Amino acid sequence: MGMLCAVSFQRYGRLYYLDPGDLRPQVGDKVLVPTDDGPEVAECVWAAQWVTEDTDGFPKLAGLAQEEDLRRDEDLRRRKAEAKVAAKRLIRAHGLPMKVVAIDHVFSKGDDGGERSTIYFTAPHRVDFRSLVRDLGATLHCRVELRQLSARDSARVQGGIGSCGRDLCCATFLNDFEPVTIRMAKDQDLPLNPLRISGACGRLMCCLKYEHPLYATSGTYPASGQRVETPSGLGKVVSRHPPSETVTVRQLSDGAVKRCSLAEVCRPRIAYDERPSAAEPGLSPQGE
């Protein structure tokens, strides 16, 4: 049991959980987060509080941000904005099919070779950007690196709102991209319309995997189109809902659509409920 707080480097961005140590940051406080390139300023979005999980493996806050740290962070943001403008201008000048997604800038740390700007971009195919790197280095007066991102990584970096109305999963809490297949959509009886099952990245939505284990093990559910017996009469299965253990049935008599529990349409369960009870008068335990 220990204490944790959550911070974010940008508003509505990914949350990072850290051990506050002896500090007690409140929501809105600027704190220093240890990174590979030194402490960076972030905003506390979840005040330090006690949690039941083991906190030994979480990194610790480097301290509260001071005026000097805030000025350095402001300079860093200004350098990123300048690098983004220069990169877009030079990409147009070189006529390259590239789109700048994000900029990362690191100030000089003494003997590390000076400042460095990393430009993340997307492109439909591999791009020869050697001449672009030279021009960027001469314009920004620092070492420049270009890294191409996939569609999913681009959505993670940029963020956005999904079809559910919430922030993208990849930009908030997903750490790794797990394989998502069209079979998952079929098993969940979802329409195979790319506009309905694709995320902001243009690939299959990561959330298709969340409920798929329920559908993959739903062998006891009647298939769509199968005729079943319901308390209201014979009907045909329209869709299945394993999370709530129900099915939607259209009555053959009047076409009415209703949702029934799995127990009401499952033949083994119906046969079990309708079996002769050994406790009924005139019946022995052996059925004599």
Side-chain angles (χ1 to χ4, degrees):
M1 186 173 180
M3 297 193 75
L4 284 180
C5 65
V7 303
S8 177
F9 291 98
Q10 56 185 354
R11 188 172 296 276
Y12 308 119
R14 178 184 292 273
L15 299 181
Y16 296 88
Y17 297 91
L18 298 97
D19 182 354
D22 297 332
L23 303 174
R24 296 296 180 267
Q26 300 299 316
V27 175
D29 289 348
K30 300 294 184 179
V31 296
L32 295 177
V33 179
T35 67
D36 295 337
D37 298 312
E40 293 191 13
V41 177
E43 182 179 352
C44 180
V45 296
W46 181 35
Q49 57 181 277
W50 291 99
V51 296
T52 57
E53 291 80 6
D54 185 12
T55 60
D56 291 340
F58 289 87
K60 288 190 176 182
L61 285 179
L64 296 176
Q66 305 300 322
E67 289 296 330
E68 181 181 355
D69 300 315
L70 297 177
R71 285 196 299 269
R72 180 177 177 275
D73 183 62
E74 186 63 27
D75 292 340
L76 185 63
R77 295 179 184 275
R78 179 178 53 81
R79 289 286 288 167
K80 288 182 179 180
E82 293 174 354
K84 191 170 187 178
V85 172
K88 289 183 176 181
R89 177 174 56 82
L90 290 173
I91 285 174
R92 288 195 300 267
H94 285 263
L96 297 175
M98 301 166 56
K99 178 182 178 182
V100 177
V101 175
I103 305 289
D104 190 16
H105 189 82
V106 177
F107 285 123
S108 176
K109 295 171 58 180
D111 57 352
D112 65 343
E115 297 185 19
R116 181 182 75 252
S117 282
T118 304
I119 300 175
Y120 300 93
F121 70 94
T122 57
H125 49 74
R126 293 182 64 87
V127 180
D128 183 4
F129 48 71
R130 288 172 293 184
S131 59
L132 175 63
V133 171
R134 289 194 297 267
D135 291 347
L136 282 171
T139 302
L140 301 176
H141 305 291
C142 65
R143 186 159 57 93
V144 177
E145 296 180 4
L146 270 72
R147 296 183 182 179
Q148 185 170 355
L149 298 180
S150 64
R152 290 186 185 274
D153 286 326
S154 175
R156 166 186 284 181
V157 172
Q158 296 182 91
I161 303 298
S163 57
C164 59
R166 300 175 64 90
D167 293 326
L168 297 181
C169 298
C170 58
T172 50
F173 65 88
L174 279 185
N175 294 322
D176 299 313
F177 292 121
E178 298 185 7
V180 182
T181 63
I182 196 68
R183 169 55 60 183
M184 296 180 181
K186 292 181 179 179
D187 291 343
Q188 298 176 56
D189 297 330
L190 295 175
L192 302 183
N193 184 347
L195 298 178
R196 298 285 300 277
I197 60 177
S198 297
C201 59
R203 304 295 190 268
L204 292 175
M205 292 189 296
C206 295
C207 56
L208 291 177
K209 192 175 182 64
Y210 296 166
E211 294 180 358
H212 182 254
L214 290 175
Y215 289 84
T217 58
S218 60
T220 58
Y221 284 77
S224 297
Q226 179 179 340
R227 293 192 177 189
V228 294
E229 186 70 32
T230 70
S232 302
L234 193 62
K236 182 180 293 186
V237 175
V238 177
S239 59
R240 306 174 301 166
H241 313 284
S244 59
E245 295 187 350
T246 59
V247 294
T248 300
V249 179
R250 176 177 286 108
Q251 301 296 143
L252 297 182
S253 59
D254 55 3
V257 177
K258 62 177 298 185
R259 180 173 291 194
C260 305
S261 66
L262 178 62
E264 293 176 332
V265 299
C266 182
R267 293 307 307 171
R269 174 60 182 268
I270 296 175
Y272 177 83
D273 292 339
E274 293 178 350
R275 78 193 193 288
S277 174
E280 291 180 2
L283 291 178
S284 64
Q286 292 77 20
E288 296 179 357

